[in-house]
Amino acid sequence: MSFRKDFLWGGALAANQCEGAYLEDGKGLSIADMMLGGNVDTPRMFCPQLQKDAFYPSHEGIDFYHRYKEDIALFAEMGFKSLRISINWARIYPNGDDEEPSEAGLAFYDHVFDECLHYGIEPVVTLCHYEIPWEIAKRYSGFYERKTIDLFVRYAKTCFERYQHKVRYWITFNEINGATLPVGRYNGVGLIEKEDLESTHPIPKNQLKDVPQKRWQALHHEFVASALAVMEAHKIDPAIKVGCMICHIPWYPLTPSPQDELIAQEKNLMFNDLCGDVQVKGIYNPLALAKLKNDGIDISFITKEDEAILKQGRVDMYTFSYYMSNCISSDPHAAKIKGNLSGGTKNPYLEATDWGWQTDPLGLKWTLKKLTSRYPGVPLMVVENGLGAKDVVESDGSIHDPYRIDYLRQHIMAMKEAIDEGVDLIGYLPWGPIDIVSMGTGEFYKRYGFIYVDRHDDGTGDFSRRKKDSFDWYKKVIATNGEDLD
Ligand code: BG6
């Protein structure tokens, strides 16, 4: 067995990290536009007011808004079967609660989808990839207020209706499980406390105030909004497939001590599976609810009506990001390491990237097999995976990135093994097929692409595109349906 004939090979992008044109054609600000760039040791800063003369990486992104034709042509040259992008909510409803959607915003995505379809590239579209309109964050505390559920569902419906003949695959919220941790309060659910909103100076994003009770309530509202959107999509066309999107990180016990086993079990449940269970099975796992209550969260925000909605609005596929794994230990002195959304305990068997993410291809196999046994019959799609690395442009303009090829090759081999062992995997969309702004650090220096973009952290660069060695390698992988990985 190997990859199915109609396997969706491609890549994944997010509007806020590539489009730029942050106020063009009537677009409103989104929460992503309020963040300065940082680096691996310096957190990004949240600015309640935009600062004059400061460099905001998302404001120009890589100028995909004006260059999407060139970029999609390059993706087509690699043989992409699919492209994941997000719609920037604030392009469609600039303030989130406007009476009518913006025709200019809607038309932009019509053009992007048409361009994809012209090359036979199937769009996979995320409705909210850390792009809550800034006005919704300010007026309604993001998803903390129930009002935002209605605003999201209206936005989703607008998109489903408009693009029903162009888009078959949708994702509601990117990495929804980020909001199980403090890190998700801002990007994930758009919840900013009054004192931070009223601050006269920028605040390091890791110092924004976190109120777990409110964050869990906001996350619950996202679940309800997602379920209602799934129901709307199916009403419009039952053939539409909607996915959840989970940042899946395996948490291994550092030692075989039963104590480590138990905390790993709980961590996997609370970080990975709680959100998956709500969106795929339509229920809160009882152990997760008990843990929340034991942690002092009052879960009375989950109403009977909500429970019925969650049951009805279950997703059709499990889509997820996978970059790395973590260990967890009951020993408070065990060495720590950074990671995507969450760091953890260092694994002595794994190497880490320059940004401290532990590379673990077998962890992807572990994840695929685990998901298949947890959600039998539900197709899986990897909608993010990749290596963020520094690339060097040689004097002749070439870019040699064997480290990226090696990372991707090992992950593709792991997917192949998982398929051989019974996993139903329908697609692989590695992250940032063209270099884009890093979400975590706001850098251009951390690059994922098969295509290099001349844009730098000091705001210089002419946005020109150039192929890296990995471009031809990935093209060959797609052409051979994953058979030739050399
Ligand atoms: C995922 C996000 O967590 O990781 C993306 O969905 C993000 O938006 C990606 O870009 C890689 O993270 P980073 O911090 O390297 O950009």
Side-chain angles (χ1 to χ4, degrees):
M1 270 218 292
S2 196
F3 296 100
R4 47 200 283 169
K5 280 205 177 63
D6 57 355
F7 192 76
L8 294 174
W9 295 100
L13 298 168
N16 76 89
Q17 291 170 259
C18 69
E19 282 176 5
Y22 80 116
L23 291 179
E24 212 162 311
D25 294 331
K27 177 182 165 291
L29 289 168
S30 86
I31 52 171
D33 295 321
M34 314 308 285
M35 297 286 275
L36 296 168
N39 60 44
V40 65
D41 300 313
T42 319
R44 302 186 70 173
M45 307 284 272
F46 158 69
C47 304
Q49 265 96 43
L50 289 181
Q51 313 282 300
K52 273 206 187 108
D53 305 324
F55 177 61
Y56 290 86
S58 75
H59 289 192
E60 288 173 89
I62 58 156
D63 197 32
F64 180 81
Y65 192 78
H66 300 111
R67 294 167 197 250
Y68 66 91
K69 286 193 180 175
E70 181 190 345
D71 295 341
I72 293 170
L74 285 165
F75 300 151
E77 192 183 328
M78 272 188 279
F80 276 26
K81 313 279 181 230
S82 178
L83 177 67
R84 174 180 175 222
I85 63 159
S86 67
I87 293 179
N88 202 325
W89 185 351
R91 252 188 226 295
I92 309 301
Y93 288 99
N95 299 295
D97 57 3
D98 315 70
E99 293 279 305
E100 295 296 329
S102 152
E103 180 49 36
L106 289 166
F108 170 67
Y109 295 102
D110 264 324
H111 300 321
V112 172
F113 300 145
D114 288 344
E115 202 63 20
C116 287
L117 297 172
H118 167 72
Y119 293 107
I121 296 175
E122 177 95 52
V124 173
V125 181
T126 316
L127 285 163
C128 187
H129 192 125
Y130 303 144
E131 287 140 352
I132 296 173
W134 175 232
E135 289 303 319
I136 290 189
K138 281 198 302 187
R139 291 181 203 167
Y140 309 111
S141 299
F143 274 86
Y144 176 62
E145 288 194 21
R146 268 191 182 259
K147 165 91 178 164
T148 305
I149 298 179
D150 302 338
L151 297 175
F152 178 80
V153 175
R154 191 178 56 138
Y155 156 63
K157 200 171 164 216
T158 304
C159 295
F160 297 145
E161 278 170 355
R162 175 78 172 217
Y163 307 122
Q164 58 177 301
H165 302 299
K166 299 182 182 179
V167 180
R168 290 193 298 164
Y169 294 98
W170 293 88
I171 290 170
T172 51
F173 292 95
N174 184 62
E175 294 187 333
I176 196 165
N177 57 326
T180 62
L181 301 175
V183 69
R185 65 197 174 289
Y186 180 78
N187 292 340
V189 293
L191 178 55
I192 309 157
E193 292 302 316
K194 199 161 178 279
E195 64 240 59
D196 289 340
L197 259 184
E198 288 173 357
S199 166
T200 50
H201 52 81
I203 308 168
K205 77 167 182 187
N206 55 0
Q207 286 174 27
L208 287 166
K209 191 162 178 229
D210 179 49
V211 184
Q213 175 69 41
K214 292 169 82 173
R215 173 164 47 80
W216 281 101
Q217 176 166 329
L219 174 59
H220 172 69
H221 290 165
E222 275 194 357
F223 289 147
V224 175
S226 172
L228 288 166
V230 172
M231 286 153 69
E232 287 296 339
H234 290 161
K235 245 190 267 165
I236 291 166
D237 181 354
I240 291 180
K241 302 276 178 240
V242 190
C244 57
M245 201 308 204
I246 309 289
C247 170
H248 199 286
I249 300 179
W251 295 83
Y252 305 137
L254 183 65
T255 73
S257 86
Q259 246 181 333
D260 280 3
E261 275 290 346
L262 275 171
I263 56 172
Q265 185 186 50
E266 186 173 89
K267 185 73 186 176
N268 278 302
L269 171 67
M270 297 307 288
F271 183 75
N272 294 312
D273 301 329
L274 183 164
C275 296
D277 288 354
V278 171
Q279 295 191 280
V280 179
K281 296 181 174 175
I283 49 159
Y284 274 96
N285 184 295
L287 297 176
L289 283 184
K291 164 85 175 131
L292 287 180
K293 284 191 206 156
N294 291 338
D295 287 350
I297 306 295
D298 172 2
I299 56 165
S300 56
F301 50 73
I302 308 173
T303 67
K304 283 272 165 266
E305 293 76 31
D306 292 347
E307 283 175 341
I309 291 168
L310 296 180
K311 262 250 143 44
Q312 239 190 304
R314 281 169 293 153
V315 294
D316 308 294
M317 55 186 185
Y318 186 106
T319 58
F320 67 104
S321 65
Y322 178 84
Y323 292 91
M324 47 158 286
S325 65
N326 265 327
C327 277
I328 188 161
S329 167
S330 49
D331 172 5
H333 304 296
K336 297 278 181 290
I337 189 146
K338 292 186 193 307
N340 183 21
L341 297 188
S342 173
T345 299
K346 201 167 166 356
N347 186 331
Y349 295 97
L350 299 178
E351 300 286 325
T353 70
D354 291 341
W355 278 263
W357 297 20
Q358 301 181 111
T359 302
D360 180 15
L362 286 182
L364 176 55
K365 179 174 174 184
W366 184 94
T367 299
L368 288 164
K369 292 185 74 174
K370 183 200 98 168
L371 293 172
T372 300
S373 36
R374 197 171 185 98
Y375 309 118
V378 176
L380 308 176
M381 197 188 318
V382 178
V383 294
E384 286 187 34
N385 171 242
L387 176 69
K390 305 166 194 164
D391 291 323
V392 176
V393 183
E394 305 292 342
S395 50
D396 63 355
S398 58
I399 298 150
H400 307 303
D401 55 348
Y403 37 84
R404 180 166 296 109
I405 293 175
D406 195 45
Y407 176 101
L408 295 170
R409 176 190 293 126
Q410 290 187 47
H411 285 80
I412 295 172
M413 280 162 58
M415 296 189 309
K416 226 176 182 175
E417 287 176 20
I419 292 170
D420 284 345
E421 293 173 31
V423 163
D424 180 16
L425 182 66
I426 61 173
Y428 178 61
L429 308 177
W431 184 245
I434 181 167
D435 294 343
I436 49 178
V437 179
S438 152
M439 190 279 291
T441 62
E443 289 164 289
F444 287 96
Y445 189 49
K446 185 182 189 188
R447 298 173 180 274
Y448 286 85
F450 305 111
I451 302 161
Y452 181 92
V453 178
D454 183 49
R455 182 67 165 163
H456 308 282
D457 292 325
D458 57 3
T460 60
D462 63 9
F463 295 106
S464 58
R465 278 59 168 152
R466 173 185 296 277
K467 297 172 190 173
K468 303 180 194 175
D469 286 354
S470 53
F471 184 99
D472 286 325
W473 174 81
Y474 193 45
K475 181 176 174 177
K476 183 180 64 180
V477 171
I478 298 178
T480 60
N481 200 23
E483 286 305 317
D484 186 350
L485 300 176
D486 290 339

